[in-house]
Amino acid sequence: MTAHALEWQRTAAALVRAMPRHRMVGNGMQAADADELHAGVSAGTPWSEVAVRLARRQTRAAMAAIEAGDRQVARDRFLRAAACYSFGQVPLEDGPAKRSLYRDLVDAFGRAGALLDPPAEHVEVPWRGRSLRGWLLRPSGVVRPPVVVVLGGIDAWREEYAAGAELVRDRGVALLLLDAPGQGETRVLGGLHLDRDVRLALSAAVTQVLADDRLGDRVAVWGNSMGGHLAALLAAQDPRISACVVTGGTVRPAETHTRFPRFLGKVQAMLGLDPEASRTLMDDLELDAGTLAGLTCPLLVQHGARDAVFKVANAREVHDLAGSADKTWQEWSDGDHCVDNHADEKYLAVARWLAPRLTGAW
């Protein structure tokens, strides 16, 4: 076997490990598409090329459904297309190819959102001459609903968590699917990177939500992976946060590249810094006992015991050090990162825990 063949096999295997079937299916991709993506990359076709082909096929199906007058199927197919684009862009470095694919992702998700009642809205939160980008999804028939701000991680961003978050919206809660600085559209198309003032940027989003007279006065935050760390940081330092969910998070975000040096490249992309400055900033973001004592709102922490990205012990500290009198720890003994291998169960647990604390039904 040639060196080139060995290299693409290693690359394919790494991508399949990073994006296993259950993660993709649990976060919006059709099962058949996930299988075809894995098969295609394992046969030697570039990951993103296969994903784009699948996304375009789903888009054609969505357009056919619109012509047939079936809005529900059309929305589902646009969401499937968006999921293909979302997972397809992950291996690409920031640049023209990633930006092009990301624009297609935003377009597909926006087309799906236009078919909701009320329609999803693409929103921007001004921040230092740029903006945080997000999607506002409001529940139908609810006057001034509470809001949960949903955050993704280092390379899994807002749209990936939309399918699960809709279980919360279905219980009368609005969603702000937000790309924080260094994430998703905010970075790839907006050029805004994460820095030491990330909490202030997220608080600006809370201010914008509270200023919207269509929305209520209770705001929660739900973060996944690195977003879980950011959610805990925000809840600890912004007293306007009414509840906090941390899924697959950590007190020590530097643990990823400390244990897996090749992960530093992803961190650099998020921060827009050189390796040494990236290490320093990630070290500075560690949550200590003093900070977490300020997290006094209701708190749910979810983690998988087999999480290979953030250790369960470092997630447990978020729960144990928090000052909240109402805090819940949920651990899956066989759970992987963000408990993606129990996606339905995980999302349902969040919806059942979070919605009542925001709507007053608890």
Side-chain angles (χ1 to χ4, degrees):
M1 184 175 292
T2 66
H4 175 73
L6 285 171
E7 179 59 28
W8 72 249
Q9 283 191 352
R10 283 193 291 265
T11 299
L15 288 168
V16 170
R17 286 195 302 272
M19 288 171 279
R21 184 182 192 271
H22 61 256
R23 172 184 167 183
M24 295 190 291
V25 174
N27 292 305
M29 187 179 283
Q30 195 168 47
D33 285 350
D35 291 340
E36 189 169 337
L37 180 52
H38 278 181
V41 72
S42 297
T45 305
W47 177 277
S48 298
E49 182 180 320
V50 181
V52 168
R53 184 176 70 236
L54 296 169
R56 289 174 177 169
R57 188 167 68 196
Q58 290 287 3
T59 300
R60 289 193 296 271
M63 298 304 295
I66 288 176
E67 291 178 5
D70 195 332
R71 291 168 59 90
Q72 183 174 346
V73 170
R75 179 172 180 268
D76 177 76
R77 295 297 179 264
F78 279 131
L79 287 174
R80 303 292 191 186
C84 291
Y85 285 127
S86 178
F87 287 109
Q89 60 79 34
V90 171
L92 299 176
E93 295 183 357
D94 288 13
K98 193 178 187 81
R99 288 193 293 270
S100 176
L101 201 155
Y102 219 90
R103 290 188 185 96
D104 289 336
L105 161 59
V106 171
D107 178 70
F109 195 88
R111 289 189 183 195
L115 298 171
L116 283 172
D117 178 25
E121 301 171 37
H122 187 261
V123 300
E124 297 192 21
V125 178
W127 180 250
R128 294 182 174 172
R130 298 183 186 272
S131 64
L132 284 66
R133 315 280 180 92
W135 297 103
L136 177 63
L137 287 72
R138 292 180 290 138
S140 180
V142 180
V143 177
R144 301 197 72 234
V147 182
V148 57
V149 179
V150 182
L151 302 170
I154 292 178
D155 64 4
W157 298 322
R158 62 188 187 198
E159 289 88 358
E160 184 166 339
Y161 301 102
E166 287 197 359
L167 291 174
V168 182
R169 192 203 63 193
D170 291 345
R171 287 164 168 77
V173 178
L175 305 173
L176 177 59
L177 306 175
L178 186 67
D179 281 331
Q183 297 177 335
E185 185 190 3
T186 296
R187 180 187 99 210
V188 177
L189 299 184
L192 185 60
H193 292 86
L194 187 147
D195 61 20
R196 287 176 176 81
D197 290 333
V198 61
R199 197 279 296 172
L200 298 177
L202 295 174
S203 286
V206 175
T207 297
Q208 183 160 309
V209 166
L210 291 172
D212 190 331
D213 59 12
R214 301 169 302 168
L215 304 174
D217 58 3
R218 294 178 65 79
V219 181
V221 61
W222 173 14
N224 302 270
S225 190
M226 179 66 186
H229 173 88
L230 297 177
L233 174 66
L234 176 64
Q237 297 187 343
D238 191 326
R240 299 172 298 174
I241 297 299
S242 297
C244 176
V245 179
V246 175
T247 301
T250 182
V251 294
R252 298 183 182 89
E255 66 173 291
T256 52
H257 60 269
T258 300
R259 290 187 292 121
F260 307 110
R262 293 182 64 181
F263 205 84
L264 184 62
K266 293 180 179 294
V267 173
Q268 285 183 251
M270 180 176 68
L271 306 181
L273 298 173
D274 62 42
E276 189 56 36
S278 295
R279 292 188 186 94
T280 299
L281 177 51
M282 292 296 278
D283 286 340
D284 290 347
L285 288 175
E286 182 170 338
L287 294 171
D288 58 23
T291 299
L292 285 169
L295 201 170
T296 57
C297 66
L299 171 67
L300 170 64
V301 182
Q302 300 177 310
H303 214 79
R306 297 184 180 179
D307 190 328
V309 178
F310 292 140
K311 293 180 179 179
V312 67
N314 288 335
R316 184 80 204 196
E317 285 192 33
V318 176
H319 173 274
D320 292 352
L321 297 176
S324 175
D326 172 14
K327 53 185 178 181
T328 302
W329 170 261
Q330 294 180 343
E331 181 179 332
W332 282 258
S333 60
D334 65 338
D336 60 9
H337 185 50
C338 287
V339 204
D340 284 328
N341 57 332
H342 291 281
D344 290 347
E345 183 182 345
K346 167 191 68 174
Y347 287 132
L348 183 58
V350 172
R352 287 175 170 169
W353 183 93
L354 182 56
R357 285 168 170 79
L358 292 177
T359 60
W362 177 61

